Amino acid sequence: MHLNFSVWLTRWPYLLQGAAISLEIVVIVLLLSTPLAMIAALGLGATNRAILYPMMAISWILRGIPPLVILFVAYFVVPQFGISLTPLVAAIAGFTAYNTLVVAELIVAGFRSVDPGQHAAIAALGLPPFRAYRRVLLPQALPSIIPPYISYSTDMVKGTALAGSIGVLELVTRANQVILATNRPFEILLGIAALYGIVDAGLMGLQAAAERLWAPHARR
Amino acid sequence: MLTSCVKWAPLAALLAFAGGAEAQSAATATGPQVSIDLPKPWPLRHLVATGTLTIATTGKSAGVTFVDESGKLAGARIDLWTKLADDLGIKPDFVVIDWPGVLPGLAANRFDIACEGASWTKARLASPDFYMTRPLEVAINVGVALKSSGIATWSDAAGKRLGGVKGEQELKDLLAKAGAKTASLELPGVPEARLALLNGQYDVYGTGMQVAQTLLKGEDGDKFMILGEPTAVDASGFCVNKNEGDLAQAVNVLLAKYSVDGTMASINKKWDMPDTTANLAKLGY
């Protein structure tokens, strides 16, 4: 197999624009879904069954449906109800819906990992709930939440390729178009794999730094 | 309301039809000049976005709809749609989406018009989800195989692995031709289908003649061959949103005009596409 990467000399601006769109989706979805996930986590961790059961049902549905189907619903089905979203907005909405519940489960798991004795201590001290969460529970839960959160974000970067199925010109869709126009599949695929690798390497570096920061010995 | 009239331009022709002998002779020599007054902008009431022709295209068919070096959509259908939008008095807006999403998107009222050239089939012509326009071309569907596979005729292809782009009529025609019930591999687009054939992941690729010829002209083209007999010869046209009968009518009028005034031939020539006007006439178009 003879590789000729000169195809990138003329096509790189178009492909980098695709990478920028993929990153834009990831950043916006994380910015939207993280605070929403915190709220959803409160529902999933609630002791009140009137809140807990509906939240569990929503979580079960959204996490059980493949993200591709959620994107199709956002782009093809939602307009039937009079709300017409552009491909990019539909992709962001679809990914945010899915991501919110996945991250919410991570947050709930993180809080459940905190020693139950801490709750008893909080009660004994009579700390207000918000302060107890911010000063006692959250610092202990974060080491369990951050690594899977960043790991999941890494998966999300790759998952943005699904947005191409509803007309978003993200990196993989553009790569396919360039492959068609140039018939140089291997050079293009290797190139975009490297681009994904660079973005994911950044996130993995962030994950390693976060793990060091919140490691038990670092918190002493 | 569509307003059109036929103008008998030369006075001589008018007199000829009125019975003047000399004028009749002049009219016979040149024929009456016929022109049609078309509205501009067309009063299209149900567009997905007002003032815009929202067009779904795969952007994955060389010469037909693809992304050029500058990153812009180009090709024969892009030119034709742009011309259509211009003559309708509205702006074109292209949405690039894979073929499996095109017809669902049309049914979901996301696009006004779509399909680079969808084969006329009974199911599509009778579909409640979209209109099919008058044919743009006579579509010849073929099977493509690797020369090294030893498959040269359809009898050689019996029992072999068949594949193509999922949902395409070209793949269905291949299965029908080979007497197979299911495909071995269905892929999202032409680039993937080409690569899978090149890798030997299936043996015969069902596609259109235009795509097949592009494969033969492109990288590794000398490794491919088109099986002698086509899988199907049919007509193909655009698909129009089911809510937009007025658009379907307008597009049909303009396509007829383009086939007569040479616009279609000129676009096809520019992109090295076969001109099938003569064959379309056999279908009454």
Side-chain angles (χ1 to χ4, degrees):
Chain A
M1 183 172 61
H2 171 67
L3 294 176
N4 179 2
F5 284 93
S6 63
V7 64
W8 276 85
L9 292 175
T10 53
R11 302 287 179 162
W12 68 266
Y14 188 68
L15 291 164
L16 281 190
Q17 282 169 20
I21 290 172
S22 296
L23 270 180
E24 181 186 356
I25 293 172
V26 172
V27 170
I28 294 175
V29 168
L30 289 178
L31 285 175
L32 290 175
S33 63
T34 304
L36 288 173
M38 288 177 185
I39 297 167
L42 290 177
L44 287 168
T47 49
N48 184 337
R49 289 178 183 178
I51 298 171
L52 177 64
Y53 288 165
M55 278 308 300
M56 284 174 68
I58 293 170
S59 176
W60 172 65
I61 291 167
L62 281 178
R63 288 189 303 121
I65 299 174
L68 181 62
V69 175
I70 296 177
L71 294 187
F72 278 149
V73 169
Y75 188 62
F76 294 127
V77 180
V78 169
Q80 306 304 309
F81 301 99
I83 304 167
S84 189
L85 307 174
T86 64
L88 183 61
V89 174
I92 288 169
F95 281 131
T96 299
Y98 181 75
N99 210 41
T100 293
L101 274 303
V102 171
V103 175
E105 292 289 352
L106 295 180
I107 293 172
V108 170
F111 278 106
R112 282 184 186 145
S113 71
V114 177
D115 187 338
Q118 297 291 318
H119 293 271
I122 288 165
L125 289 169
L127 282 174
F130 179 73
R131 197 170 169 201
Y133 265 95
R134 190 169 67 87
R135 301 299 298 272
V136 180
L137 297 176
L138 190 61
Q140 294 184 71
L142 274 178
S144 304
I145 295 170
I146 294 297
Y149 175 80
I150 298 177
S151 175
Y152 179 70
S153 302
T154 311
D155 274 351
M156 241 213 85
V157 172
K158 293 171 275 187
T160 55
L162 292 175
S165 60
I166 57 166
V168 178
L169 288 175
E170 46 66 57
L171 182 54
V172 172
T173 299
R174 287 175 185 245
N176 275 328
Q177 291 170 341
V178 173
I179 288 169
L180 174 103
T182 62
N183 279 333
R184 307 298 310 180
F186 303 115
E187 293 85 343
I188 299 298
L189 292 174
L190 288 172
I192 66 160
L195 279 176
Y196 276 114
I198 290 166
V199 174
D200 282 343
L203 282 170
M204 285 170 190
L206 205 63
Q207 181 179 346
E211 283 173 358
R212 275 198 303 276
L213 182 67
W214 279 293
H217 60 82
R219 288 187 287 120
R220 284 193 194 111
Chain B
M1 189 73 178
L2 186 146
T3 55
S4 65
C5 65
V6 178
K7 291 176 180 172
W8 301 95
L11 181 61
L14 191 62
L15 290 173
F17 280 86
E22 285 181 21
Q24 187 171 12
S25 154
T28 309
T30 59
Q33 288 185 8
V34 183
S35 65
I36 305 171
D37 272 342
L38 299 175
K40 190 172 182 179
W42 285 66
L44 302 169
R45 295 179 187 85
H46 307 289
L47 292 171
V48 170
T50 308
T52 302
L53 186 65
T54 307
I55 306 155
T57 182
T58 61
K60 284 187 176 178
S61 187
V64 180
T65 165
F66 65 100
V67 175
D68 67 12
E69 284 202 0
S70 65
K72 290 181 181 164
L73 277 171
R77 290 295 175 263
I78 302 301
D79 281 0
L80 185 56
W81 275 319
T82 304
K83 171 76 174 154
L84 268 173
D86 183 46
D87 287 344
L88 292 169
I90 51 182
K91 289 180 181 174
D93 177 28
F94 293 99
V95 178
V96 179
I97 191 162
D98 282 344
W99 173 243
V102 170
L103 294 181
L106 208 57
N109 199 35
R110 297 308 320 244
F111 320 124
D112 297 311
I113 192 166
C115 312
E116 284 94 47
S119 296
W120 268 22
T121 62
K122 279 187 285 188
R124 286 177 182 165
L125 288 168
S127 173
D129 294 328
F130 54 87
Y131 296 110
M132 291 231 57
T133 66
R134 58 177 281 141
L136 300 159
E137 61 182 357
V138 170
I140 302 168
N141 295 338
V142 295
V144 180
L146 284 176
K147 284 179 184 170
S148 59
S149 68
I151 300 170
T153 64
W154 285 107
S155 54
D156 298 335
K160 299 290 184 183
R161 295 166 302 164
L162 311 175
V165 177
K166 68 177 109 175
E168 275 195 352
Q169 185 60 32
E170 290 86 336
L171 176 56
K172 292 174 188 165
D173 289 339
L174 171 68
L175 298 179
K177 180 76 178 175
K181 286 183 180 171
T182 55
S184 301
L185 195 54
E186 296 188 39
L187 294 149
V190 173
E192 295 88 347
R194 171 190 171 276
L195 203 52
L197 182 64
L198 201 58
N199 288 342
Q201 287 158 315
Y202 60 85
D203 303 304
V204 186
Y205 168 30
T207 187
M209 179 62 95
Q210 175 67 22
V211 171
Q213 286 178 335
T214 307
L215 290 186
L216 265 63
K217 287 178 199 164
E219 187 83 15
D220 293 321
D222 56 337
K223 294 181 181 173
F224 299 117
M225 62 172 289
I226 299 172
L227 300 187
E229 199 179 322
T231 56
V233 179
D234 55 29
S236 68
F238 293 144
C239 313
V240 174
N241 187 315
K242 66 186 172 190
N243 301 322
E244 302 182 39
D246 52 358
L247 176 63
Q249 183 187 12
V251 169
N252 280 336
V253 169
L254 289 171
L255 289 179
K257 179 174 177 283
Y258 297 160
S259 94
V260 173
D261 70 11
T263 301
M264 194 79 85
S266 160
I267 291 173
N268 287 338
K269 188 177 177 186
K270 175 183 170 186
W271 294 102
D272 198 20
M273 301 262 290
D275 184 22
T276 57
T277 311
N279 287 324
L280 275 180
K282 292 178 187 171
L283 296 170
Y285 289 95

